[in-house]
Amino acid sequence: MAVLDSKIPEGAIEDKWENHKFSVKLVNPNNKRRFEIIVIGTGLAGASAAASLSELGYRVKVFTFHDSPRRAHSIAAQGGINAAKNYTNDGDSVHRLFYDTVKGGDYRSREANVHRLAEVSVNIIDQAAAQGVPFAREYGGMLDNRSFGGAQVSRTFYARGQTGQQLLLGAYQALAKQVAVGNVELHTRTELLDVVLKDGRACGVVTRDLVSGEVSSHSSHAVVLATGGYGNVYYLSTNAMACNVTAAWRAHRKGAYFANACYTQIHPTCIPASDEFQSKLTLMSESLRNDGRIWVPDAFDEERPPDQIPESDRDYYLERKYPAFGNLVPRDVASRNSKTVVDQGKGVGPIKNGVYLDFGAVIERDGEDVVRSKYGNLFDMYERITGENPYKVPMRIYPATHYTMGGTWVDYNLMTTIPGCYAIGEANFSDHGANRLGASALMQGLADGYFVLPYTIGDDLAGRLGEAPVPTDDPVFVEAEAAVTSQVDRFMSIGGTRSVDWFHRELGKIVWDYIGMERTKEGLEKALAEIPALEEEFWKDLCLPGSAATLNSGLEKAGRVADFFELAKLMARDALDREESCGGHFRAEHQTEEGEAKRDDENFAHVAAWEWNGPGSVQTRHQEELTFENVALTQRSYK
Amino acid sequence: MAAPATSPPGSTPIFRRKWQLPFPLNIYQSSIGRKWVMALTGIGLLGFVVVHMIGNLHIYEGPVQSHEYAESLRSLGGGLMPRTFLLWVLRLGLAGMFVLHIHSAYSLKERSRKASDKADFIGGEKKYHSKRDYVAANYASRTMRWTGPIILLYLLFHLADLTWGWWLGDNYVLGDPYHNVVASLSNLPVAIIYVVANVALVIHIFHGTWSLFQSLGINNPKYNELRRTLAKLVAGVILVGNLSFPVLVQTGLIDDDNRTCDVGDVTCLEHQAEKH
Amino acid sequence: MSRELNLTLQIWRQEGPHDDGHFETYAATGISEDMSFLEMLDIVNEGLIQDGNVPIEFDHDCREGICGTCSLMINGQAHGQEKATTTCQLHMRKFNDGDTIVVEPFRARAFPVVRDLVVDRSAFDRIIEAGGYISVNTGAASDANLTPVPKEASDTSFDAAACIGCGACVAACPNSAAQLFTSAKLAHLNLIPQGQPQRFERTESMVETMESFFGSCTNHGECHEACPKEISLDFIAFMNRDYVKAKVKNRKLAGQT
């Protein structure tokens, strides 16, 4: 496909990044200050990119809708960050990390990108440790590692259960340093509402100050989107309340292709919602499955409390179906099976929306103290949220959306199909294929921000020396501002009866039911019928009290939900067209006899990248073929 | 340090240093430096309180020993320097510490008031509408700003009473501290003032003794509990020692009966002290 | 199955930083005890929107106790009465049916109210910008294991680094002092080998920036009690010590620190 030039460098997989670093054009250190770069988002990817670019000398403007860069949702990652350091001498290597990531991604990622990710992973740890990130240490003062998410080597660096927080603070502090010296202009509580193009190139953004409501334009030579994933399309997810797709979607509407929208990751061990008004789901570490046993009652109308249900009336369905792996089957398998039993009506809890994760056996075997030393803080967290004591009563768990592998299509330089516009971190689609491995999200965000984009951004900028940024009174900005203002006015003037949250909740239910863990042709078609109907109602019946000239979180949400509607339709279409099952995308029509995901490498070993055709029209599907020269394609089996 | 173009409202500093004084005076410009000064002068003043109390115990030995103790303070330094010279040095030093202690406390209080100023709940009376249910702050720590001024007023009263003899009038005998104490404390309102003031003093010292370690950064998780114990001990000793005087005078256990020298006969006191 | 609560809320409403605020009374009925405090506010807001009223603005984001966005003085306690818990993790089962709950913003002069219960805590960012970092440009780092960090130092440093920057310490402090926040960041960086080169410069600069926004500590200890991450008062003592050390050492005697 000519339209999608991934710009993968020539050479053996090990040499591609080295060769590329040598061949990209450089910007002379003295000239860097003549370039303005806008970074949207201050999570791991955004903060690290903004800090690194300004250290190089570029003039950077960074925007976040939070009150401080430190609040971005990268902060909530618990488990750790992978790196091919091989400090544990257990046979890890760049190649093994690369191999595991491609395989884990179910062979739907770009080999060259993944290899680069594995290569720079080691630098991330060095950088973070030098910044003072308090990684776990051994008594000799060296960094500690653990094995994570079923990896066969110990390559995960961690900082208690708060690795994301500590890495984000490291990047935030690096950013703060650059703000202090005046190389970075920081805009907090400011949201991107449009990407502006002139002559087909990104030349700036239009933002709205969330406090004053002021709409303004900012021009630059490059725009970097580091705005995270779109998991909140499900309404209930482990994402923070404000996570959204708006920046990426605005870019999509201006010409950036959106890739693999159907690849979403579901995490199997979250605390089930307690009622309709639950606002978000809380994730608990997957390590719980190492010792807990998952079961549901045999009977459909079981009313007895769990301790009164005898062993004979319990169904340990994972142990029954997958004797070899039992409760440790991969995330997607565990998640799908939970959904199956709950859909059958065997769910547990007040609103029958969970399955039991029972520690009774291990407590009996090892004692409560051993369990407490391993999982004490998780048990405390569970008790705080549910008010139930998991040492006495089995935990209730249910899967929740956690991460989205799909995102804005980017080439090897992380540039989108809009020249001058880049997407990094979870916002792009590039490194995880159809499924992300545990502890790899932090790695990718920081790799893009610290070690990839600062090199690759020069390739495009070098040729533009001497070009002044487009002035913000240029017609392209004036038009974009007018469009943003009219959208805001439109929201404020609907005057309907329902809140944004109501629409978001309803949308979430559709997306979860039909584009969730298991998709079918009928379901997706249903989604494609129901979403537009709800969307239409949204534009007619939205109720948005207050003013657009003050802080108005309802207005912020309205813009985000409007974009989620469009995204949800794309997800359904993408899922419908991908007639196979792979990673986070499971089509019930495409499974093995054992109920495993069945890939179709012949027809679908490609990236689906969608081109916007204007509101109301269906996007055009483009394909980037994936070639696997270094990893052999195999089918998983967990029997 | 260029401020970002769009400064949010909270970005503007409330206090600005007009100029930087030379070292070490610049330490005093900062709040933490002032806390150091408050702690160090607090140690000095605490030392004075303890020594003063111990010295006053001479009362229990009788008028002669009390006179002898008072005289020894005046002749501190022996023949090396003029009589009362070292005493005056100490007095001035104490006065200096007092002034610094008060100034640092007052100025820090002002800074804190300003830091909460515009945040005040409607009338500006307090920070929050709902009743603040203090969790850690104890009575002592919250009343430092009240016990402090009480102690200052008491100090002035105490000096006027027993150093300058304003109220005792003709009954005040320079050189017979035993008599002066008995004469003053046998008056019930005066004794009550002493009791109240010393309770305030002890409350002040209780928080101060713990707090000074914190201000000076002398801490170790292993010994942190000991700081509380020490504070209780010091406060307790001072409470018992200082309250014993008014209580015992009021109950008549200390009085001017059975003196070997008559009240006002300082020569006799001197003479007997020499025989000691 | 779960208990339902009917509550009376007194909530601070304020248009903007320069407007006068006031309390409004709202009824929250049929609140499930399994809801978090913020979900209870969501319900109240839903009701307000239904009636065409302007909903209450409050800060929140991750709702799992780590981002530090949520705030609120609940009955005079920062993040409510539960120890070591942020408002988003405070659940309604901790309240009783018929309770009256007073909800106010975190208050300090350096935390101006943006709207209703939302305050501007950017003074914290200014403190970090003053020196709350280790100056290591991207790419300049040597192999991580070339700098061993004693486990004890690393663990204590982590205890300090656990700060989520929510501002509860300032809100709870009768002096509106930010000692706990600042000392936590200083201790995080000053306790480990990587932080040593800039230790005293950092301490001086961050403390003086802190003092330009906030009040002065009187060692009450309220901050520690309010802290959702239970940051220790010992870090404040550590900062006090390092600050005077810094003053002595930063006397421009080239290299003689």
Side-chain angles (χ1 to χ4, degrees), chain A residues 29 171 191 211 270 288 306 413 438 493 538:
Chain A
E191 185 170 48
V211 176
C270 299
L288 289 170
N413 284 335
S493 63
F538 170 81

Side-chain angles (χ1 to χ4, degrees), chain A residues 611-634:
Chain A
E611 180 187 4
W612 180 255
N613 285 326
S617 324
V618 174
Q619 286 103 321
T620 311
R621 189 177 195 269
H622 298 280
Q623 291 180 16
E624 176 200 342
E625 297 304 326
L626 295 169
T627 48
F628 295 91
E629 291 161 353
N630 300 278
V631 180
L633 278 65
T634 58

Side-chain angles (χ1 to χ4, degrees), chain A residues 356-372:
Chain A
Y356 287 126
L357 177 63
D358 196 339
F359 287 83
V362 66
I363 289 174
E364 203 165 298
R365 190 181 72 222
D366 298 341
E368 209 173 295
D369 290 342
V370 173
V371 174
R372 179 167 284 120

Side-chain angles (χ1 to χ4, degrees), chain A residues 384-386, chain C residues 33-37 39 82 85 87-95:
Chain A
R384 190 178 306 145
I385 292 171
T386 61
Chain C
E33 64 165 0
D34 290 327
M35 281 181 189
S36 73
F37 197 85
E39 282 161 1
E82 278 294 291
T85 304
T87 297
C88 63
Q89 297 270 285
L90 174 67
H91 281 71
M92 296 314 292
R93 65 181 72 90
K94 305 291 178 186
F95 295 88

